[in-house]
Amino acid sequence: MGHRPTILFSLAHPDDESFMVAGVSCKYRARGVRLVLATATLGDAGKVGDPPVCSREELPRVRESELRRAVDLLGIDALHLLGYRDKDLCNADPAQIRGQLVRLVRRYRPALVITFDPNGFNQHPDHIAISRFTSDALAAAADPRWLPEAGEPHRVTRLLWTPPLRPEEIGAGPPLGNRPGVDFLVDIQAWSARKAEALRAHRTQHLSINRIWFDRPDPELALSSEPFRQAWGPPLVSRPEIDLFAGMEAGKGIAPEDRG
Ligand SMILES: [Zn+2]
């Protein structure tokens, strides 16, 4: 594993990565950071599109291929599908999903983890569930008494949550930096076309993706930055910070061109 800093994204559905972390994926991958994505479900209870892109029976397979396309576009190094049922993640066996996530944390040893906030961003029960299971697993991964067979304990330095605002609020209205919960605001303008491409890779989800991201007067504004909220980690000198690794040892190993 060496000293290569790693970010683990712990999310619920195919397309969550493109909504939430597409820009930071491209930006930090270009700076040598390793990216790992855990996706808990295949979104198999989601929409098939209108006109339909596929049948309901084909949906899990199609959504998996859409996710793999987005992962390629974003330069994510490793994708782990956790294999849970869509809209049923809250009923996952806590010991089972804890074991899966602890193994990933101890194997990849991320400095930084990004997941949904405790309200699930839009209160989707699967988003709330993955937030809860991720917090559980990060505490367990650091404690050698949990799952000693699952690898050497590892303590994550910083946990980030999705922010308490809608995608359509990004770039609209007063500066986001004054909003509570916007602790990081990462400029992704250099990667906005790639984020758009990753969003569009989720063809089955074109109705919601177009409504939220593209059918608006200022789509480029929504694609210009990605905000995050700090759950815990090193204290922030200023808010919003512009670099996810601000104040972290792990950030010293990555390319410095636009660190604040
Ligand atoms: Zn989702």
Side-chain angles (χ1 to χ4, degrees), residues 4-212:
R4 192 174 169 198
T6 299
I7 304 176
L8 170 66
F9 306 121
S10 184
L11 300 171
H13 309 111
D15 80 9
D16 290 343
E17 79 299 327
S18 297
F19 269 68
M20 300 297 170
V21 297
V24 294
S25 292
C26 296
K27 181 167 193 152
Y28 286 92
R29 174 66 195 272
R31 289 155 67 168
V33 173
R34 180 174 60 173
L35 307 172
V36 180
L37 171 62
T39 300
T41 80
L42 284 177
D44 44 285
K47 298 184 177 71
V48 295
D50 182 19
V53 172
C54 64
S55 69
R56 186 143 285 285
E57 294 68 40
E58 293 166 320
L59 188 60
R61 185 185 55 76
V62 171
R63 292 206 72 181
E64 180 178 341
S65 71
E66 291 171 345
L67 173 61
R68 291 190 185 280
R69 168 84 180 130
V71 158
D72 285 347
L73 285 166
L74 301 178
I76 290 171
D77 297 273
L79 168 66
H80 291 269
L81 300 173
L82 302 187
Y84 293 94
R85 296 274 312 279
D86 190 20
K87 297 193 177 154
D88 194 39
L89 188 58
C90 61
N91 293 316
D93 173 10
Q96 181 184 327
I97 192 164
R98 179 190 302 123
Q100 289 173 293
L101 291 170
V102 165
R103 276 181 179 77
L104 290 180
V105 169
R106 290 183 180 168
R107 171 176 169 189
Y108 290 106
R109 314 189 80 73
L112 194 79
V113 173
I114 302 181
T115 190
F116 283 98
D117 71 280
N119 301 316
F121 187 69
N122 54 0
Q123 298 178 293
H124 191 302
D126 290 344
H127 297 171
I128 296 170
I130 196 65
S131 178
R132 175 163 66 85
F133 290 133
T134 301
S135 281
D136 175 295
L138 296 189
D143 181 340
R145 299 171 302 169
W146 284 103
L147 302 158
E149 74 289 358
E152 283 294 300
H154 174 71
R155 184 173 298 281
V156 169
T157 308
R158 170 171 281 151
L159 175 65
L160 296 181
W161 288 331
T162 52
L165 72 170
R166 308 279 313 162
E168 52 267 41
E169 293 179 88
I170 301 170
L176 285 183
N178 297 327
R179 293 274 296 261
V182 179
D183 296 328
F184 293 82
L185 192 57
V186 181
D187 180 348
I188 61 156
Q189 285 181 77
W191 305 102
S192 59
R194 189 64 66 87
K195 175 163 178 146
E197 206 180 340
L199 285 163
R200 289 197 162 106
H202 295 282
R203 292 175 55 240
T204 55
Q205 307 307 301
H206 62 256
L207 293 175
S208 58
I209 285 176
N210 284 341
R211 175 172 47 79
I212 293 168

